[in-house]
PDB file of all heavy atoms in Angstrom:
ATOM      1  N   ARG A 245      98.071  86.252  -7.774  1.00 95.00           N
ATOM      2  CA  ARG A 245      97.614  87.199  -6.751  1.00 95.00           C
ATOM      3  C   ARG A 245      97.464  88.600  -7.324  1.00 95.00           C
ATOM      4  O   ARG A 245      96.528  89.337  -6.988  1.00 95.00           O
ATOM      5  CB  ARG A 245      98.595  87.205  -5.582  1.00 95.00           C
ATOM      6  CG  ARG A 245      98.189  88.094  -4.403  1.00 95.00           C
ATOM      7  CD  ARG A 245      99.229  87.994  -3.298  1.00 95.00           C
ATOM      8  NE  ARG A 245      98.851  88.756  -2.134  1.00 95.00           N
ATOM      9  CZ  ARG A 245      98.091  88.309  -1.147  1.00 95.00           C
ATOM     10  NH1 ARG A 245      97.604  87.085  -1.201  1.00 95.00           N
ATOM     11  NH2 ARG A 245      97.818  89.073  -0.114  1.00 95.00           N
ATOM     12  N   TYR A 246      98.394  88.995  -8.181  1.00 96.00           N
ATOM     13  CA  TYR A 246      98.382  90.354  -8.727  1.00 96.00           C
ATOM     14  C   TYR A 246      97.889  90.411 -10.176  1.00 96.00           C
ATOM     15  O   TYR A 246      98.043  91.454 -10.827  1.00 96.00           O
ATOM     16  CB  TYR A 246      99.781  90.972  -8.618  1.00 96.00           C
ATOM     17  CG  TYR A 246     100.160  91.286  -7.192  1.00 96.00           C
ATOM     18  CD1 TYR A 246     100.932  90.400  -6.451  1.00 96.00           C
ATOM     19  CD2 TYR A 246      99.721  92.451  -6.572  1.00 96.00           C
ATOM     20  CE1 TYR A 246     101.269  90.669  -5.132  1.00 96.00           C
ATOM     21  CE2 TYR A 246     100.048  92.740  -5.256  1.00 96.00           C
ATOM     22  CZ  TYR A 246     100.825  91.841  -4.541  1.00 96.00           C
ATOM     23  OH  TYR A 246     101.151  92.119  -3.239  1.00 96.00           O
ATOM     24  N   ASP A 247      97.338  89.312 -10.644  1.00 96.00           N
ATOM     25  CA  ASP A 247      96.812  89.259 -12.011  1.00 96.00           C
ATOM     26  C   ASP A 247      97.855  89.777 -13.003  1.00 96.00           C
ATOM     27  O   ASP A 247      97.589  90.652 -13.829  1.00 96.00           O
ATOM     28  CB  ASP A 247      95.521  90.083 -12.103  1.00 96.00           C
ATOM     29  CG  ASP A 247      94.801  89.894 -13.434  1.00 96.00           C
ATOM     30  OD1 ASP A 247      94.998  88.832 -14.064  1.00 96.00           O
ATOM     31  OD2 ASP A 247      94.069  90.819 -13.846  1.00 96.00           O
ATOM     32  N   MET A 248      99.062  89.205 -12.890  1.00 96.00           N
ATOM     33  CA  MET A 248     100.180  89.626 -13.718  1.00 96.00           C
ATOM     34  C   MET A 248     100.353  88.659 -14.878  1.00 96.00           C
ATOM     35  O   MET A 248     100.735  87.496 -14.692  1.00 96.00           O
ATOM     36  CB  MET A 248     101.460  89.677 -12.872  1.00 96.00           C
ATOM     37  CG  MET A 248     102.737  89.906 -13.678  1.00 96.00           C
ATOM     38  SD  MET A 248     102.779  91.476 -14.578  1.00 96.00           S
ATOM     39  CE  MET A 248     103.033  92.616 -13.228  1.00 96.00           C
ATOM     40  N   PRO A 249     100.093  89.084 -16.119  1.00 94.00           N
ATOM     41  CA  PRO A 249     100.162  88.169 -17.268  1.00 94.00           C
ATOM     42  C   PRO A 249     101.576  87.931 -17.796  1.00 94.00           C
ATOM     43  O   PRO A 249     101.756  87.170 -18.745  1.00 94.00           O
ATOM     44  CB  PRO A 249      99.302  88.873 -18.325  1.00 94.00           C
ATOM     45  CG  PRO A 249      99.433  90.322 -17.998  1.00 94.00           C
ATOM     46  CD  PRO A 249      99.580  90.413 -16.504  1.00 94.00           C
ATOM     47  N   PHE A 250     102.581  88.593 -17.219  1.00 95.00           N
ATOM     48  CA  PHE A 250     103.950  88.492 -17.733  1.00 95.00           C
ATOM     49  C   PHE A 250     104.909  88.117 -16.597  1.00 95.00           C
ATOM     50  O   PHE A 250     104.618  88.327 -15.419  1.00 95.00           O
ATOM     51  CB  PHE A 250     104.402  89.834 -18.335  1.00 95.00           C
ATOM     52  CG  PHE A 250     103.519  90.348 -19.432  1.00 95.00           C
ATOM     53  CD1 PHE A 250     102.503  91.254 -19.153  1.00 95.00           C
ATOM     54  CD2 PHE A 250     103.705  89.934 -20.748  1.00 95.00           C
ATOM     55  CE1 PHE A 250     101.687  91.738 -20.164  1.00 95.00           C
ATOM     56  CE2 PHE A 250     102.898  90.414 -21.760  1.00 95.00           C
ATOM     57  CZ  PHE A 250     101.885  91.319 -21.465  1.00 95.00           C
ATOM     58  N   ASP A 251     106.060  87.581 -16.978  1.00 96.00           N
ATOM     59  CA  ASP A 251     107.160  87.519 -16.026  1.00 96.00           C
ATOM     60  C   ASP A 251     107.492  88.957 -15.617  1.00 96.00           C
ATOM     61  O   ASP A 251     107.335  89.897 -16.416  1.00 96.00           O
ATOM     62  CB  ASP A 251     108.380  86.859 -16.657  1.00 96.00           C
ATOM     63  CG  ASP A 251     108.179  85.367 -16.895  1.00 96.00           C
ATOM     64  OD1 ASP A 251     107.362  84.761 -16.181  1.00 96.00           O
ATOM     65  OD2 ASP A 251     108.829  84.830 -17.813  1.00 96.00           O
ATOM     66  N   TYR A 252     107.981  89.122 -14.386  1.00 98.00           N
ATOM     67  CA  TYR A 252     108.126  90.485 -13.876  1.00 98.00           C
ATOM     68  C   TYR A 252     109.462  90.687 -13.156  1.00 98.00           C
ATOM     69  O   TYR A 252     110.107  89.729 -12.721  1.00 98.00           O
ATOM     70  CB  TYR A 252     106.980  90.807 -12.910  1.00 98.00           C
ATOM     71  CG  TYR A 252     107.025  90.011 -11.614  1.00 98.00           C
ATOM     72  CD1 TYR A 252     107.687  90.501 -10.485  1.00 98.00           C
ATOM     73  CD2 TYR A 252     106.428  88.749 -11.518  1.00 98.00           C
ATOM     74  CE1 TYR A 252     107.754  89.763  -9.308  1.00 98.00           C
ATOM     75  CE2 TYR A 252     106.476  88.024 -10.343  1.00 98.00           C
ATOM     76  CZ  TYR A 252     107.144  88.528  -9.236  1.00 98.00           C
ATOM     77  OH  TYR A 252     107.225  87.800  -8.067  1.00 98.00           O
ATOM     78  N   VAL A 253     109.833  91.950 -13.048  1.00 98.00           N
ATOM     79  CA  VAL A 253     110.937  92.351 -12.168  1.00 98.00           C
ATOM     80  C   VAL A 253     110.316  92.988 -10.926  1.00 98.00           C
ATOM     81  O   VAL A 253     109.182  93.486 -10.957  1.00 98.00           O
ATOM     82  CB  VAL A 253     111.904  93.331 -12.864  1.00 98.00           C
ATOM     83  CG1 VAL A 253     112.597  92.649 -14.033  1.00 98.00           C
ATOM     84  CG2 VAL A 253     111.191  94.599 -13.319  1.00 98.00           C
ATOM     85  N   TYR A 254     111.076  92.978  -9.833  1.00 98.00           N
ATOM     86  CA  TYR A 254     110.543  93.455  -8.552  1.00 98.00           C
ATOM     87  C   TYR A 254     111.394  94.610  -8.041  1.00 98.00           C
ATOM     88  O   TYR A 254     112.618  94.604  -8.152  1.00 98.00           O
ATOM     89  CB  TYR A 254     110.547  92.309  -7.538  1.00 98.00           C
ATOM     90  CG  TYR A 254     110.039  92.688  -6.162  1.00 98.00           C
ATOM     91  CD1 TYR A 254     108.864  93.409  -5.998  1.00 98.00           C
ATOM     92  CD2 TYR A 254     110.737  92.288  -5.020  1.00 98.00           C
ATOM     93  CE1 TYR A 254     108.399  93.737  -4.732  1.00 98.00           C
ATOM     94  CE2 TYR A 254     110.280  92.603  -3.752  1.00 98.00           C
ATOM     95  CZ  TYR A 254     109.115  93.335  -3.610  1.00 98.00           C
ATOM     96  OH  TYR A 254     108.660  93.661  -2.357  1.00 98.00           O
ATOM     97  N   TYR A 255     110.691  95.622  -7.470  1.00 98.00           N
ATOM     98  CA  TYR A 255     111.385  96.750  -6.858  1.00 98.00           C
ATOM     99  C   TYR A 255     110.648  97.153  -5.582  1.00 98.00           C
ATOM    100  O   TYR A 255     109.597  97.784  -5.635  1.00 98.00           O
ATOM    101  CB  TYR A 255     111.444  97.932  -7.829  1.00 98.00           C
ATOM    102  CG  TYR A 255     112.297  99.094  -7.368  1.00 98.00           C
ATOM    103  CD1 TYR A 255     113.211  98.973  -6.321  1.00 98.00           C
ATOM    104  CD2 TYR A 255     112.207 100.332  -7.993  1.00 98.00           C
ATOM    105  CE1 TYR A 255     113.997 100.029  -5.915  1.00 98.00           C
ATOM    106  CE2 TYR A 255     112.995 101.404  -7.602  1.00 98.00           C
ATOM    107  CZ  TYR A 255     113.890 101.257  -6.565  1.00 98.00           C
ATOM    108  OH  TYR A 255     114.668 102.308  -6.165  1.00 98.00           O
ATOM    109  N   PRO A 256     111.190  96.792  -4.396  1.00 96.00           N
ATOM    110  CA  PRO A 256     110.586  97.223  -3.130  1.00 96.00           C
ATOM    111  C   PRO A 256     111.195  98.557  -2.697  1.00 96.00           C
ATOM    112  O   PRO A 256     112.361  98.624  -2.297  1.00 96.00           O
ATOM    113  CB  PRO A 256     110.982  96.096  -2.168  1.00 96.00           C
ATOM    114  CG  PRO A 256     112.290  95.592  -2.699  1.00 96.00           C
ATOM    115  CD  PRO A 256     112.288  95.839  -4.185  1.00 96.00           C
TER     116      PRO A 256
END
Side-chain angles (χ1 to χ4, degrees):
R245 184 179 183 87
Y246 289 97
D247 189 25
M248 171 62 73
F250 303 95
D251 290 335
Y252 68 91
V253 295
Y254 179 47
Y255 188 15

